[in-house]
Amino acid sequence: MPVNAGTSDQPACLKWSGGEHTLVGPCFIGRRSDNDIPINNVQASRRHAVLMNLNDDWWINDLGSRNGVNVNGMRLSSARRLRNGDEIRIANQRLTFYNAEQHAAHHSSIVGKTTEYAPQTLSDAPRPAEACELLIVTEKGEILEGDKAAHWFFGKGLERAPGAAHYFLPPSIRQWLQQLADVSKKAAPPLELEQGGHRILLSLARCKDDRFYLLVREESSNHFIERLRTLDLTVRESEVMYWVYEGKSNPEIAQILDRTLHTVNRHIENIFKKLVVDNRHKAIKAVKERLGL
């Protein structure tokens, strides 16, 4: 396993017996040698797990591995926020997450294992995205890895020419990839799509050897409303802000939520005050910046 030289002032890293990896961007773990942390064990999947930074917190997510990911002795069922001192087990490898900017996690002993206490408030730990998967594609949108995940997210939107070896992403995503290539593959804002009442976000994790590593996340409207509450908005203000974000007018929001127009106007005034903005466009921009969209 490779060892990244790290210094004590680095805020987050993974350590294991004889190795250390400083976390500066999405970190892929798996059996393939081109992962950030390769694990040479048949129980590890080729792309087993990913660590990513969302809203200044580090999260770990299982990438559909065969044998799963355990954190503090508990198998992941969804993405999980990591805390200082958390132990990650993948196949035969034990890794410990360290973050100098966090206090040590609180643990309780359960049958010889440790587990993080459940967060007490919504603002303490925003719930993770409902799904997060990795796709590796070419500049033209040809899917080299992640066919199964791509079908789950995009279904019939995928295209495949007769006799072709791989599927291609939908046209709107291929156009976005072309834009990334045109700006020399530099960091770019995520692409947001709406599909069946869910928001799908695609972000570029890295580009290597002309391959684009894309993280695809899905969020339901209810989940997005809950994330808005982390901005100190009330439940009703979060619902109103969600529909503002979706481009609905005040009268439309009043009809959707079955509230008077006066009530919606009052909620929007409060939202603007809390976000320190004076119009809808700035409110949407503030939400994107604060939630990392």
Side-chain angles (χ1 to χ4, degrees):
M1 297 172 72
V3 178
N4 286 11
T7 58
S8 60
D9 61 349
Q10 291 294 332
C13 67
L14 287 175
K15 294 183 180 180
W16 60 92
S17 178
E20 177 177 335
H21 180 91
T22 301
L23 295 169
V24 294
C27 173
F28 298 103
I29 305 173
R31 196 172 70 248
R32 285 186 55 141
S33 60
D34 59 352
N35 286 295
D36 298 287
I37 302 179
I39 297 178
N40 186 19
N41 186 287
V42 294
Q43 293 184 344
S45 297
R46 293 186 306 165
R47 306 287 182 194
H48 200 108
V50 61
L51 275 75
M52 53 191 171
N53 190 282
L54 299 172
N55 305 325
D56 297 324
D57 285 316
W58 282 96
W59 297 76
I60 185 169
N61 199 78
D62 189 335
L63 290 172
S65 68
R66 183 175 66 255
N67 293 310
V69 177
N70 288 296
V71 178
N72 297 333
M74 299 183 68
R75 183 159 177 165
L76 293 185
S77 58
S78 62
R80 172 187 174 127
R81 186 178 68 158
L82 291 170
R83 299 209 177 178
N84 189 31
D86 278 347
E87 182 186 83
I88 302 165
R89 182 170 180 175
I90 296 175
N92 66 338
Q93 186 66 56
R94 294 179 183 270
L95 310 100
T96 304
F97 172 79
Y98 290 103
N99 190 343
E101 296 181 349
Q102 282 186 341
H103 296 294
H106 298 289
H107 296 90
S108 65
S109 178
I110 301 178
V111 195
K113 301 293 185 180
T114 57
T115 180
E116 180 185 333
Y117 283 129
Q120 297 300 308
T121 63
L122 180 65
S123 60
D124 179 56
R127 291 170 60 182
E130 294 181 354
C132 177
E133 298 290 347
L134 171 68
L135 303 180
I136 300 180
V137 305
T138 66
E139 179 179 313
K140 295 182 179 180
E142 186 178 12
I143 303 170
L144 303 178
E145 289 188 37
D147 270 5
K148 184 177 180 181
H151 276 90
W152 190 83
F153 281 110
F154 307 115
K156 295 181 179 179
L158 300 180
E159 299 178 0
R160 186 175 185 177
H166 301 288
Y167 283 92
F168 282 80
L169 290 169
S172 59
I173 303 176
R174 299 204 302 268
Q175 183 178 3
W176 175 69
L177 282 171
Q178 186 60 54
Q179 292 173 353
L180 292 182
D182 291 342
V183 295
S184 302
K185 306 178 180 66
K186 295 180 180 178
L191 174 66
E192 298 182 31
L193 303 172
E194 280 290 334
Q195 187 167 292
H198 289 72
R199 174 177 286 101
I200 297 177
L201 299 96
L202 293 94
S203 57
L204 176 65
R206 69 178 54 141
C207 186
K208 182 179 180 180
D209 300 328
D210 293 325
R211 294 185 176 190
F212 290 81
Y213 289 61
L214 304 179
L215 287 175
V216 189
R217 291 184 288 138
E218 181 186 70
E219 296 179 346
S220 68
S221 57
N222 287 337
H223 170 68
F224 189 58
I225 289 170
E226 289 177 351
R227 290 187 67 190
L228 287 169
R229 291 195 63 194
T230 68
L231 305 180
D232 196 32
L233 302 181
T234 66
V235 174
R236 188 61 69 188
E237 289 167 354
S238 298
E239 291 175 344
V240 171
M241 186 60 225
Y242 169 77
W243 290 111
V244 170
Y245 191 92
E246 292 298 312
K248 300 297 184 182
S249 66
N250 288 14
E252 289 174 325
I253 296 173
Q255 184 176 10
I256 292 170
L257 298 179
D258 193 23
R259 293 293 184 272
T260 67
L261 181 58
H262 172 76
T263 298
V264 170
N265 290 339
R266 180 164 50 82
H267 284 314
I268 288 181
E269 289 177 4
N270 291 336
I271 291 169
F272 287 176
K273 289 179 182 178
K274 291 181 177 181
L275 297 180
V276 195
V277 298
D278 57 13
N279 61 55
R280 297 164 67 95
H281 176 74
K282 291 180 181 178
I284 293 172
K285 182 179 179 181
V287 165
K288 288 185 175 182
E289 291 176 349
R290 298 188 193 185
L291 296 184
L293 301 175

